[in-house]
Amino acid sequence: QVQLVESGGALVRTGDSLTLSCVASGRIYNDDTMGWFRQAAGKERESVATMGSGGTSWYRDSVKGRFSIARNSSRTNIYYYVYLTMTNLRPEDTAVYYCWVYSFRSEHFGQGTQVIVSE
């Protein structure tokens, strides 16, 4: 099993910055791809940013230059951490943000953390 626990969601103002954190444990390995998805009210879940074990990252166009993903692991590789630093936040970034791991051909999501950006 895979356990993903997000934190860091908050109510912020337009232009503010915020960092989301995720702790991943269980059947996760260093080769797995990790990242973040989000789902706004009434919309489908969408990918935001991902990072492979080699550090290669991908961002959706609407967040390029504003969001940054990072990951690391504990020394014993029991826990993996993935972060999403969001700057210059916009109201359209309002959503529930989900930590995501792709492992053994399966996707895993955390319970989500709410980000609200007020105008």
Side-chain angles (χ1 to χ4, degrees), residues 54-67:
T56 301
S57 59
W58 171 91
Y59 298 91
R60 71 181 304 107
D61 286 346
S62 61
V63 306
K64 285 181 180 178
R66 299 189 299 121
F67 289 15

Side-chain angles (χ1 to χ4, degrees), residues 22-106:
C22 173
V23 180
S25 60
R27 200 182 182 199
I28 295 179
Y29 300 93
N30 195 52
D31 289 343
D32 294 338
T33 299
M34 302 184 70
W36 292 89
F37 279 60
R38 68 185 180 186
Q39 187 168 19
K43 296 186 178 181
E44 293 187 354
R45 189 176 298 185
E46 62 183 18
S47 55
V48 176
T50 64
M51 179 173 276
S53 60
T56 301
S57 59
W58 171 91
Y59 298 91
R60 71 181 304 107
D61 286 346
S62 61
V63 306
K64 285 181 180 178
R66 299 189 299 121
F67 289 15
S68 177
I69 188 172
R71 59 181 281 178
N72 56 31
S73 64
S74 62
R75 191 175 63 158
T76 55
N77 285 346
I78 293 177
Y79 296 101
Y80 292 85
Y81 306 91
V82 59
Y83 307 96
L84 185 68
T85 298
M86 306 180 290
T87 64
N88 193 20
L89 282 162
R90 306 167 180 169
E92 53 264 38
D93 295 319
T94 294
V96 177
Y97 284 72
Y98 298 90
C99 185
W100 170 85
V101 170
Y102 185 75
S103 180
F104 286 93
R105 302 181 182 179
S106 296

